[in-house]
Amino acid sequence: MAVRRADMDPGDDELREWIDSIESVLDTGGPERAKALFRAVRDYLTDAHVIVEDAVLNTPYRNTIPLEQQPAYPGNIEIEQRIENINRWNAMAMVLRGYDSGTGVGGHIGTYASGATMLEVGLQHFFRNKGPDYGGDLVSIQAHCAPGIYARALLEGRLSIGQLENFRRELAPGGGLSSYPHPRNMPDFWASPCASMGLSTPSCIYQARFAKYLENRGLKPKNGGKVWNFIGDGEADEPEVLGTINIAARERLDNLIMVVNCNLQRLDGPVRGNGKIIQELERSFRGANWNVIKVIWSGEWDALFAIDHEGVLQARMERAVDGDYQMYSVSSGPEVRAHWVEDDPRLADIMRVRSDEEIRCIKRGGHDQRKIYAAFNRALQSEGRPTVILIKTIKGYGMQGYEGSNVVHQKKDLAIEERQETARRLGIPLGEEAAARADFYCPPADSEEILYLKARRAALGGAWPQRQVSCPALTAPPLTLFQEQLNGSGERTLSTTMAFVRMLSKLLDHPELGRHIVPIVPDEARTFGMEALFRKAGIYSSEGQKYRPVDSTTLMPYREATDGQILQEGICEAGAMASFLAAGTAYAIHGVPTIPFYIFYSIFGFQRVGDMIWSCGDMLCRGFLLGGTSGRTTLNGEGLQHQDGHSQVIASTVPNLLSYDPAFAGELAVIVRDGIRRMYEQQENVFYYITIHNENCTMPPMVEGSAEGIVRGMYRFRAGKAVADGQRKAHLFGSGAIMTEVLRAQELLATLGVSADVWSVTSYNELCREGLRVERQNHFAPGSPPARPYVAELLAAEQGVFVAASDYMKSLPLGIARWVPGPYVVLGTDGYGLSESRADLRNWFEVSAEYISWAALAALHEAGAVSAGELDAAAGKLHIDRHKPDPATAGPATARS
Ligand SMILES: Cc1ncc(C[n+]2csc(CCOP(=O)(O)OP(=O)(O)O)c2C)c(N)n1
Ligand SMILES: [Mg+2]
């Protein structure tokens, strides 16, 4: 054991003695005995308050698996290398040809160039598809490696040259290929999206956990299936990555393998020029109790380590920082030697066994199939712990002149000679002209390469990637399951949140659907009144419950169980969203239809994890997002950071997300039932966002015949009483929590001689979308009688003025303005929230019954139906402050001054 001896002071006899003795323990007692002694010494020191902080978190900067433990390689490396070279060429050709075509659609070469070997080893020997006896692997690659995967699919005959030609041209005739893995755009090919850096890690971690959840709950056989998550070293800087690794260890996810492609560079330059990203990540993952495997050096180094008796080479490797290693990747052999040897004769001696050219070409571990195989193979055997493999590579490996350069990420073009030289070096049998054009190359179907590749994939369950959905449909329950909500609450008051919890309870009890329901909640179950479900459904815990809960004698104890149904995520919205994504895609990943209901504080949804919601759309996720305690004025007291008046607006930006802001329990029942029908019976690729509020009110019975209107977005809830002057007519649109104010405004207006109809608008977003759809169709079919949008049709015969009030921003009701057949005033909660009572907040944001009435009167005045004098009198009666600051821009400080 020479390691570190190089660093030792030769005169330090005491140290030498210690090392000699531990060496002899290793020789005689083996590693376990040595570890036991080391731990005992460490514990002794700890007892004496001497903490050795870095004692275990970092291992030396070398391969975790030594040569003697390296398994024999099971494949034919020579053929695999040829296949990899062809993929490298074709992947690069896709980008170069795109560049040459002048379309400017871009692409990347450098990432796949660094990751090609690890992907190839995975594809030849590890990534297994679902089969009768195997759960199937979910593999998430680095997004920028997509060209390499397309190139491979060409060799398998799954994609055509025409499709490769149309990389990043998805609208091209004959079909093109998406830039990155997007299941939405290539639903038979890609299974999971990853183009937004950092999100694939929580996605994969929670996919792995959800697979265990399904197994523990008996919804999936315990037949294995690994989740492979490939990310970049720059990507590891995203907080979602290191922020979610703890749960993987806590949940003992031995079905999870992360691979970090440590090419030491990100887009602009080095990831850690002054340090070592691999060592840094090792500390983080080891500290989180992961199994860490480092692949740093290729086999060529093994011979050098073998003669590094004093550990000088290892010591030199420890000293160099990533900036140095990047420099070596662009330097000539003599330069590398000179810098590396640093006038140390012992190092010079060791390096003498390699020529300058050999030194220049000596590889990193990530370009050596045997080292990668050894690491992947060991990861498969991990028990009780997730594994991370940190693989050192060169960015742009094989891109002559650009390997390791700071500009390599963005490199989309190569000069003609560079193309020809690359083709030569990769052994691609193309003529000079064809190489200059970057023609694709595909060996014949009966060539050794193609036969080998197909045989390997056949042994692993077929081509990868592929997304195959085979999932039984569920039958939506009859609406009567929610009879209690449809009936209304009589004299009792309740909120839609309380109604939701009752409905969830009904669903959990449902004989067929019950087991498919997945309630997900961050640390807010009590906020939403869900604690009764702890006992009923149990909180999922892979370890069960090893303690007696403090409230075990109460009616609602905190019950954790291995087959618990609720996913209680703690204060981690990103994790909860990732669970939603896993549960909402189980129909595709596992063929199991699970129905997630993820309930959260509505403000901590879209603006906190909006990018993950976007990727839910990409991954064709199904399920219900429930924005609890919704509304800017309804969550009184909590103030600016909690009061949500905009999530409905953001929800409108997700194309296949249906969003609703129901006012009443019966409406909620209709929407949820219809959602289950569409997503699980009809298997439509949509998902739902429903805001639910904590405005206690007497829930009216569902209006006869309103189901269609509720789903489409609007219906007449209550007509106003007729008044003598037919001109004095108003229509009030209410939704969500503000409906109570709208109903009160109807009464106030009646006392002022105005007849007001109340309309319940369950979804401005759906009304607007449908309206735009219909208008577009009309434009494309000139001459045929134009169709009328639903909302226009609904209001066609109405006269008077129209006032919309919601607890969301004005832009939401404004979305339907063009189809409202009269003067239209929108009231909403633009501006920051503030801490106040509900009543004062509603006056401040001008959405109280008084301000709604006032808006109707002002509009009627403009229409000539109400006189100026009457308006003045009403202002006094309704306590309207005509000089108040505009809440859209003002805050409490302005209000006081
Ligand atoms: C959230 C997010 N931010 C930024 C980007 C743009 N981006 C794409 S790749 C990249 C650099 C990736 O570096 P690394 O993770 O080290 O991967 P490499 O290409 O080096 O293998 C950046 C900044 C993105 N796709 N997503
Ligand atoms: Mg990188």
Side-chain angles (χ1 to χ4, degrees):
M1 277 289 257
V3 178
R4 303 298 172 112
R5 288 212 175 210
D7 284 340
M8 278 167 29
D9 175 355
D12 191 339
D13 295 334
E14 193 179 25
L15 176 61
R16 186 168 297 277
E17 268 176 36
W18 275 75
I19 296 291
D20 285 347
S21 26
I22 203 81
E23 237 175 48
S24 85
V25 172
L26 260 181
D27 286 345
T28 51
E32 287 312 315
R33 177 71 189 139
K35 270 198 231 175
L37 287 184
F38 174 77
R39 283 199 197 104
V41 172
R42 188 196 55 197
D43 291 349
Y44 183 87
L45 284 172
T46 310
D47 278 350
H49 303 286
V50 179
I51 310 290
V52 191
E53 293 87 357
D54 55 354
V56 283
L57 292 185
N58 263 132
T59 60
Y61 195 60
R62 65 172 184 212
N63 297 341
T64 304
I65 302 172
L67 183 60
E68 52 281 10
Q69 291 174 21
Q70 192 174 298
Y73 196 77
N76 182 328
I77 287 195
E78 195 260 322
I79 301 181
E80 288 181 21
Q81 187 64 59
R82 281 198 326 253
I83 295 170
E84 181 187 316
N85 287 357
I86 298 169
N87 291 334
R88 284 173 176 276
W89 171 260
N90 286 333
M92 189 168 64
M94 290 166 68
V95 179
L96 295 177
R97 290 176 74 82
Y99 182 86
D100 292 349
S101 72
T103 52
V105 292
H108 302 85
I109 305 174
T111 305
Y112 177 67
S114 68
T117 314
M118 64 181 88
L119 286 176
E120 200 55 37
V121 172
L123 282 158
Q124 299 282 14
H125 302 285
F126 291 94
F127 307 160
R128 281 175 67 192
N129 288 357
K130 222 183 326 204
D133 305 321
Y134 187 65
D137 296 342
L138 176 69
V139 185
S140 173
I141 59 161
Q142 282 181 274
H144 295 64
C145 284
I149 303 302
Y150 293 139
R152 208 165 191 282
L154 172 77
L155 301 197
E156 288 178 285
R158 302 175 63 210
L159 294 176
S160 66
I161 285 197
Q163 285 169 299
L164 260 63
E165 195 83 67
N166 290 329
F167 172 54
R168 293 186 167 227
R169 301 202 62 200
E170 297 180 71
L171 299 177
L177 303 172
S178 64
S179 50
Y180 304 117
H182 292 301
R184 168 152 291 277
N185 291 3
M186 295 179 65
D188 304 326
F189 199 84
W190 297 115
S192 61
C194 54
S196 180
M197 303 270 110
L199 297 191
S200 73
T201 297
S203 294
C204 286
I205 289 175
Y206 285 81
Q207 284 284 1
R209 172 166 170 256
F210 195 70
K212 297 235 178 200
Y213 169 95
L214 289 176
E215 287 177 0
N216 280 326
R217 296 203 47 238
L219 285 160
K220 168 188 179 293
K222 292 194 176 180
N223 59 357
K226 300 277 177 187
V227 179
W228 292 80
N229 177 215
F230 288 78
I231 66 166
D233 48 358
E235 184 171 4
D237 277 346
E238 290 285 5
E240 288 89 348
V241 175
L242 294 184
T244 50
I245 60 172
N246 280 313
I247 187 172
R250 211 183 310 136
E251 296 281 321
R252 304 160 64 84
L253 299 181
D254 47 17
N255 56 343
L256 174 69
I257 300 167
M258 263 188 89
V259 183
V260 189
N261 175 6
C262 296
N263 55 25
L264 314 187
Q265 292 176 242
R266 43 185 162 76
L267 191 151
D268 284 338
V271 176
R272 293 288 184 276
N274 292 319
K276 285 199 188 69
I277 186 64
I278 290 183
Q279 299 300 87
E280 184 181 321
L281 290 174
E282 177 182 35
R283 277 194 295 282
S284 298
F285 279 94
R286 229 178 255 290
N289 205 21
W290 281 53
N291 185 23
V292 180
I293 302 174
K294 297 193 292 191
V295 178
I296 300 185
W297 305 119
S298 68
E300 288 106 339
W301 286 95
D302 288 333
L304 295 176
F305 284 124
I307 53 171
D308 183 25
H309 303 298
E310 292 178 78
V312 276
L313 181 62
Q314 185 64 50
R316 179 70 186 90
M317 283 167 172
E318 306 288 343
R319 274 199 306 281
V321 290
D322 282 353
D324 293 326
Y325 286 115
Q326 189 189 349
M327 177 61 95
Y328 298 143
S329 64
V330 300
S331 305
S332 69
E335 279 170 340
V336 175
R337 186 191 297 277
H339 191 269
W340 187 250
V341 165
E342 275 181 331
D343 298 329
D344 182 332
R346 295 170 302 171
L347 261 178
D349 268 353
I350 292 175
M351 299 307 286
R352 227 187 300 282
V353 300
R354 291 273 181 257
S355 70
D356 283 350
E357 181 55 14
E358 282 170 338
I359 287 179
R360 195 186 63 76
C361 297
I362 199 161
K363 290 201 293 277
R364 293 183 181 169
H367 306 299
D368 181 331
Q369 288 89 344
R370 290 187 173 84
K371 302 289 178 201
I372 296 169
Y373 180 86
F376 285 8
N377 189 50
R378 183 167 290 185
L380 276 197
Q381 284 145 30
S382 174
E383 273 180 28
R385 285 208 292 177
T387 299
V388 64
I389 306 174
L390 307 170
I391 305 191
K392 187 168 177 172
T393 59
I394 288 183
K395 189 146 180 171
Y397 186 66
M399 289 170 71
Q400 205 210 353
Y402 301 98
E403 285 184 331
S405 79
N406 275 338
V407 299
V408 69
H409 188 89
Q410 301 290 63
K411 193 77 196 152
K412 301 176 196 325
D413 183 30
L414 291 180
I416 288 186
E417 307 74 51
E418 290 167 342
R419 296 175 184 204
Q420 291 164 338
E421 174 59 19
T422 306
R424 256 193 305 278
R425 287 211 288 166
L426 292 174
I428 308 297
L430 287 176
E432 295 287 87
E433 275 182 28
R437 282 195 306 269
D439 280 3
F440 294 112
Y441 169 69
C442 188
D446 59 355
S447 63
E448 205 175 15
E449 292 92 340
I450 303 285
L451 293 175
Y452 182 93
L453 177 147
K454 287 192 170 169
R456 287 305 313 143
R457 283 315 313 168
L460 292 164
W464 184 91
Q466 50 178 309
R467 181 178 179 275
Q468 276 186 345
V469 181
S470 158
C471 183
L474 297 174
T475 309
L479 196 50
T480 48
L481 180 70
F482 306 127
Q483 197 57 48
E484 179 188 336
Q485 286 69 41
L486 304 177
N487 288 346
S489 64
E491 294 295 299
R492 225 161 39 94
T493 63
L494 55 99
S495 64
T496 48
T497 304
M498 289 156 79
F500 165 71
V501 177
R502 300 276 304 164
M503 287 167 57
L504 189 60
S505 182
K506 277 270 179 205
L507 283 167
L508 288 166
D509 286 339
H510 190 276
E512 279 92 44
L513 287 180
R515 56 205 293 264
H516 297 268
I517 306 293
V518 184
I520 304 172
V521 64
D523 197 26
E524 296 290 353
R526 291 179 201 280
T527 310
F528 304 126
M530 292 169 70
E531 56 269 46
L533 298 184
F534 291 165
R535 169 160 159 178
K536 181 190 174 79
I539 295 166
Y540 173 72
S541 159
S542 54
E543 298 179 293
Q545 193 161 34
K546 296 176 177 168
Y547 60 96
R548 195 163 76 96
V550 66
D551 50 8
S552 61
T553 55
T554 68
L555 279 175
M556 301 182 201
Y558 197 83
R559 186 172 79 84
E560 301 192 57
T562 331
D563 63 351
Q565 198 160 356
I566 302 170
L567 289 173
Q568 156 66 269
E569 303 292 0
I571 312 171
C572 181
E573 280 79 10
M577 242 355 269
S579 271
F580 177 78
L581 182 57
T585 53
Y587 74 95
I589 304 292
H590 303 288
V592 179
T594 46
I595 313 179
F597 286 89
Y598 169 31
I599 178 166
F600 51 91
Y601 256 121
S602 69
I603 202 158
F604 302 130
F606 285 85
Q607 66 179 25
R608 181 80 190 215
V609 285
D611 203 5
M612 292 198 74
I613 298 178
W614 189 252
S615 72
C616 288
D618 190 347
M619 200 167 166
L620 309 168
C621 171
R622 300 170 186 165
F624 294 93
L625 295 168
L626 294 130
T629 56
S630 89
R632 187 101 71 204
T633 67
T634 307
L635 186 57
N636 51 349
E638 288 288 278
L640 185 152
Q641 192 84 60
H642 283 68
Q643 291 163 344
D644 164 41
H646 47 287
S647 66
Q648 282 288 348
V649 178
I650 315 178
S652 74
T653 61
V654 182
N656 65 329
L657 179 73
L658 286 91
S659 45
Y660 288 92
D661 185 25
F664 303 125
E667 295 175 354
L668 183 64
V670 170
I671 294 162
V672 168
R673 195 256 161 204
D674 198 54
I676 297 177
R677 182 189 64 80
R678 286 185 64 174
M679 294 186 286
Y680 294 91
E681 196 172 297
Q682 308 285 324
Q683 309 238 28
E684 271 187 68
N685 287 320
V686 293
F687 63 130
Y688 280 68
Y689 177 55
I690 308 175
T691 38
I692 49 180
H693 57 68
N694 58 346
E695 173 86 5
N696 284 338
C697 60
T698 53
M699 291 291 168
M702 182 187 151
V703 173
E704 183 87 16
S706 63
E708 186 192 344
I710 291 170
V711 168
R712 298 187 79 172
M714 184 175 189
Y715 67 98
R716 193 189 324 249
F717 173 69
R718 186 176 289 166
K721 289 195 187 74
V723 292
D725 181 354
Q727 294 290 305
R728 295 166 72 92
K729 181 76 195 177
H731 299 273
L732 308 180
F733 302 169
S735 22
I738 289 301
M739 184 56 107
T740 50
E741 300 293 328
V742 170
L743 289 170
R744 208 155 59 77
Q746 184 185 37
E747 287 166 21
L748 281 177
L749 284 168
T751 66
L752 296 166
V754 174
S755 165
D757 288 4
V758 171
W759 301 76
S760 180
V761 181
T762 50
S763 178
Y764 285 104
N765 287 333
E766 284 308 297
L767 291 176
C768 176
R769 280 178 180 169
E770 195 262 359
L772 294 172
R773 219 163 31 232
V774 170
E775 278 196 348
R776 180 184 165 279
Q777 278 158 7
N778 288 340
H779 291 164
F780 280 100
S784 35
R788 209 155 31 177
Y790 171 74
V791 53
E793 184 76 27
L794 199 62
L795 298 174
E798 307 302 334
Q799 283 167 355
V801 299
F802 299 79
V803 178
S806 90
D807 222 359
Y808 283 86
M809 292 174 67
K810 295 175 183 174
S811 58
L812 198 65
L814 212 50
I816 61 164
R818 54 190 286 97
W819 303 293
V820 177
Y824 183 41
V825 185
V826 292
L827 303 176
T829 55
D830 295 37
Y832 284 112
L834 47 92
S835 299
E836 251 308 343
S837 68
R838 195 171 283 182
D840 284 341
L841 273 173
R842 290 183 177 166
N843 278 327
W844 168 255
F845 281 104
E846 300 157 23
V847 291
S848 63
E850 288 74 14
Y851 277 89
I852 296 169
S853 306
W854 167 256
L857 289 170
L860 284 168
H861 167 64
E862 277 175 38
V866 163
S867 72
E870 197 187 338
L871 196 62
D872 280 347
K877 195 171 163 197
L878 297 170
H879 304 292
I880 300 299
D881 175 3
R882 295 201 220 181
H883 303 291
K884 74 184 278 298
D886 182 351
T889 48
T894 337
R896 277 193 300 273
S897 61

